[in-house]
């Protein structure tokens, strides 16, 4: 291993995941990259999640667990990060699994390509649905259009410290998407390891399912949180829309006309009314 080993802080928000948390932590313990700590924050669970976490803490000194009143996954992640000491961060939900070599391969890429801002991988699902998780190729415009990175991606702590953190108001889902937009910009380099190293558990009803049901409201919240980034990249997002959606030339012309009017308006210049051209996208996406 290289002379300098970066410490990775694995961040786990845990809420009523006692039946699955042990499997998640076992996947952490199997990592071939050994310079890691794991910080668990029990988000006011009503089952024995904390007891499971505490049993691992008692056996493994690089695992720590804390409790908080139920405040949502964003607050739990922020709390865990506040207790962390690693140079890199990897969020991991308390029911998902990472393959044995995920940390090793991600850190290797950061060593070989230090200009990289974020590393993730290919993924699949298990549980109620077992299949490959096909994510669209990353671009910043794609990220503004739709979430194309799952939560369990590796990034530097110093870059996290430049963001507001995970938005604690987003308790119904998509807080990871919102955070990626906070973290990344159009010139940042994002790398996907061409191997399935992350495994996302599908439940019958989950926060992801509820987020899909509330997509219009959450989409509006995300765009409002990042009004400047949407304003500055509207043309690129509409280009993604043009290529992904089965929209007529007449509809695209309508959006482009509205975009041109918005750009020339006083509201655009002062950063208001930015969500106007995106109301059409939200109607189609919902």
């Amino acid at each position: 291993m290289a002379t300098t080993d970066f410490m990775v802080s694995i961040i786990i928000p845990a809420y009523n995941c006692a039946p699955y948390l042990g499997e998640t932590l076992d996947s952490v313990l199997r990592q071939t990259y050994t310079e890691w700590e794991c910080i668990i924050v029990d988000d006011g669970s009503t089952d024995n999640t904390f007891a499971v976490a505490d049993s691992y803490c008692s056996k493994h000194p690089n695992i720590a667990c804390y409790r908080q009143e139920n405040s949502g996954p964003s607050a739990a992640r922020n709390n865990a990060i506040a207790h962390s000491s690693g140079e890199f961060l990897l969020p991991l939900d308390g029911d998902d699994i990472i393959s044995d070599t995920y940390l090793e391969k991600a850190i290797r890429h950061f060593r070989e390509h230090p200009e990289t801002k974020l590393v993730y991988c290919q993924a699949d699902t298990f549980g109620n649905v077992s299949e490959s998780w096909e994510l669209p190729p990353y671009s910043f415009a794609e990220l503004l259009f739709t979430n194309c990175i799952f939560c369990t991606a590796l990034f530097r702590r110093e870059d996290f410290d430049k963001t507001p953190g995970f938005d604690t108001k987003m308790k119904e889902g998509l807080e990871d998407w919102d955070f990626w937009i906070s973290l990344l910009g159009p010139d940042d380099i994002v790398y996907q390891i061409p191997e399935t190293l992350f495994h996302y558990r599908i439940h019958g009803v989950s926060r992801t399912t509820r987020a899909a049901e509330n997509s219009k409201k959450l989409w509006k919240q995300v765009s409002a949180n990042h009004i400047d980034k949407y304003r500055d990249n509207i043309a690129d997002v509409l280009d993604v829309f043009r290529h992904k959606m089965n929209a007529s030339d007449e509809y695209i012309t309508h959006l482009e006309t509205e975009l041109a009017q918005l750009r020339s308006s006083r509201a655009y210049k002062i950063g208001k009314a930015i969500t106007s051209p995106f109301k059409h996208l939200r109607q189609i996406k919902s």
Side-chain angles (χ1 to χ4, degrees):
M1 192 168 286
T3 302
T4 301
D5 289 334
F6 298 110
M7 173 64 74
V8 177
S9 296
I10 301 170
I11 302 304
I12 300 182
Y15 176 73
N16 286 356
C17 58
Y20 317 110
L21 182 58
E23 194 174 357
T24 298
L25 294 174
D26 287 341
S27 78
V28 171
L29 290 167
R30 288 193 298 267
Q31 291 303 296
T32 54
Y33 185 85
T34 58
E35 291 299 312
W36 57 263
E37 63 176 4
C38 182
I39 311 296
I40 308 163
V41 170
D42 176 20
D43 185 32
S45 295
T46 56
D47 66 0
N48 64 330
T49 290
F50 185 79
V52 173
D54 192 49
S55 70
Y56 276 81
C57 294
S58 66
K59 299 173 186 175
H60 305 284
N62 52 347
I63 300 178
C65 54
Y66 301 89
R67 274 175 157 164
Q68 66 177 33
E69 293 184 3
N70 182 250
S71 306
S74 289
R77 290 192 188 106
N78 291 339
N79 191 2
I81 291 170
H83 285 95
S84 71
S85 58
E87 295 161 272
F88 285 86
L89 300 172
L90 182 78
L92 175 64
D93 285 349
D95 55 354
D96 295 332
I97 293 172
I98 50 175
S99 292
D100 301 1
T101 58
Y102 190 12
L103 291 186
E104 177 187 347
K105 290 174 179 176
I107 288 295
R108 180 189 303 155
H109 186 85
F110 274 113
R111 282 203 191 101
E112 295 173 353
H113 305 276
E115 70 280 4
T116 304
K117 190 74 169 282
L118 178 144
V119 172
Y120 66 124
C121 61
Q122 295 177 352
D124 60 16
T125 66
F126 70 106
N128 280 18
V129 179
S130 297
E131 62 184 14
S132 176
W133 186 357
E134 298 297 333
L135 294 167
Y138 174 81
S139 71
F140 188 65
E142 179 76 41
L143 181 65
L144 292 177
F145 181 78
T146 188
N147 193 8
C148 55
I149 306 173
F150 44 75
C151 188
T152 303
L154 202 73
F155 53 95
R156 292 179 179 85
R157 170 62 183 265
E158 64 181 7
D159 290 325
F160 173 84
D161 289 340
K162 297 173 185 175
T163 75
F166 289 90
D167 186 349
T168 57
K169 298 188 299 296
M170 298 194 69
K171 296 182 179 180
E172 298 176 352
L174 301 188
E175 75 287 339
D176 53 337
W177 181 28
D178 179 81
F179 175 72
W180 296 140
I181 298 175
S182 292
L183 182 77
L184 298 169
D187 298 324
D188 288 327
I189 297 173
V190 171
Y191 176 70
Q192 184 186 50
I193 301 169
E195 186 177 346
T196 300
L197 302 173
F198 173 65
H199 313 283
Y200 178 75
R201 190 186 300 270
I202 299 290
H203 301 276
V205 177
S206 66
R207 290 181 67 253
T208 302
T209 304
R210 291 191 291 271
E213 294 170 352
N214 296 321
S215 61
K216 186 180 292 188
K217 174 178 135 181
L218 293 171
W219 213 94
K220 184 175 181 179
Q221 189 170 359
V222 169
S223 58
N225 283 354
H226 305 285
I227 193 166
D228 291 340
K229 289 186 177 181
Y230 277 94
R231 179 194 63 199
D232 295 341
N233 296 276
I234 290 176
D236 290 338
V237 178
L238 287 182
D239 190 55
V240 171
F241 174 74
R242 178 188 293 107
H243 288 92
K244 293 180 79 70
M245 308 302 290
N246 188 21
S248 66
D249 291 342
E250 181 181 358
Y251 188 81
I252 292 296
T253 300
H254 168 73
L255 285 180
E256 290 175 337
T257 299
E258 186 168 338
L259 170 62
Q261 292 172 346
L262 180 63
R263 279 178 159 170
S264 63
S265 71
R266 181 173 179 273
Y268 175 85
K269 294 175 182 177
I270 63 174
K272 296 180 180 178
I274 187 60
T275 56
S276 177
F278 294 100
K279 65 187 178 184
H280 307 286
L281 278 67
R282 287 198 296 273
Q283 289 167 358
I284 290 175
K285 286 164 66 67
S286 62

